[in-house]
C-alpha cells in the first residue's frame, strides 16, 4: 500500500465562528473514523498559524534562521492527513471526501 499526504490549505485570518466550524469538525471526525475503519488512516494533525513557523535555510556553509512562513500567501498549510491506499485513484477519492468535509482545497501527493 502506498502512503499519500493529503494537505489541507486554508485562508489566512481568523477561523470561522463556532456555528460554522463545529459541524465541519464533527464531519471531519466521522470521516477520520471511516478512514480508520477502512484501514486507510495513518495519522492527521492540524498546524498552528504560519506566523509560528521558523525557516532554516542553508547558505554559504551556514544555516540562516528566520521567523515566519517559507512563503507569504493568501492561503497556508493548515493541517494534513497521511493515508495509505492501493493506488492514486483511491487516494484521490479520500482527498475528495476530505475537501468536501473541510470545505477547503486538498492536495494529494504520494510519498516516495
Amino acid at each position: 500500500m502506498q502512503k499519500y499526504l493529503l494537505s489541507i490549505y486554508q485562508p489566512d485570518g481568523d477561523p470561522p465562528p463556532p456555528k460554522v466550524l463545529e459541524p465541519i469538525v464533527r464531519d471531519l471526525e466521522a470521516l477520520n473514523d471511516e478512514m480508520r475503519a477502512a484501514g486507510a488512516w495513518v495519522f492527521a494533525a492540524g498546524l498552528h498559524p504560519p506566523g509560528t513557523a521558523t525557516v532554516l535555510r542553508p547558505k554559504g556553509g551556514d544555516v540562516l534562521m528566520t521567523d515566519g512562513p517559507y512563503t507569504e500567501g493568501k492561503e497556508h498549510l493548515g493541517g494534513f492527513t497521511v493515508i495509505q491506499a492501493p493506488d492514486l485513484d483511491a487516494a484521490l477519492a479520500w482527498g475528495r471526501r476530505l475537501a468536501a468535509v473541510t470545505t477547503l482545497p486538498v492536495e494529494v501527493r504520494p510519498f516516495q
Side-chain angles (χ1 to χ4, degrees):
M1 291 271 253
Q2 173 71 46
K3 287 188 174 51
Y4 293 86
L5 176 66
L6 310 181
S7 303
I8 304 164
Y9 291 90
Q10 66 187 57
D12 286 337
D14 294 330
K19 72 177 185 174
V20 173
L21 194 56
E22 287 170 2
I24 292 171
V25 170
R26 182 189 64 238
D27 292 347
L28 180 56
E29 189 54 40
L31 179 59
N32 285 339
D33 288 344
E34 188 177 338
M35 283 191 235
R36 284 183 192 98
W41 192 88
V42 176
F43 71 95
L47 298 171
H48 286 283
T52 64
T54 303
V55 178
L56 304 169
R57 185 184 317 268
K59 185 169 185 175
D62 198 7
V63 177
L64 304 177
M65 184 169 57
T66 57
D67 292 336
Y70 175 68
T71 59
E72 296 290 332
K74 295 182 181 183
E75 293 181 332
H76 63 273
L77 181 63
F80 61 89
T81 300
V82 176
I83 63 166
Q84 54 187 10
D87 55 36
L88 180 59
D89 288 338
L92 290 172
W94 286 118
R96 280 187 201 94
R97 301 270 311 278
L98 186 58
V101 164
T102 62
T103 71
L104 296 169
V106 172
E107 176 185 85
V108 177
R109 187 183 300 187
F111 281 91
Q112 288 187 340

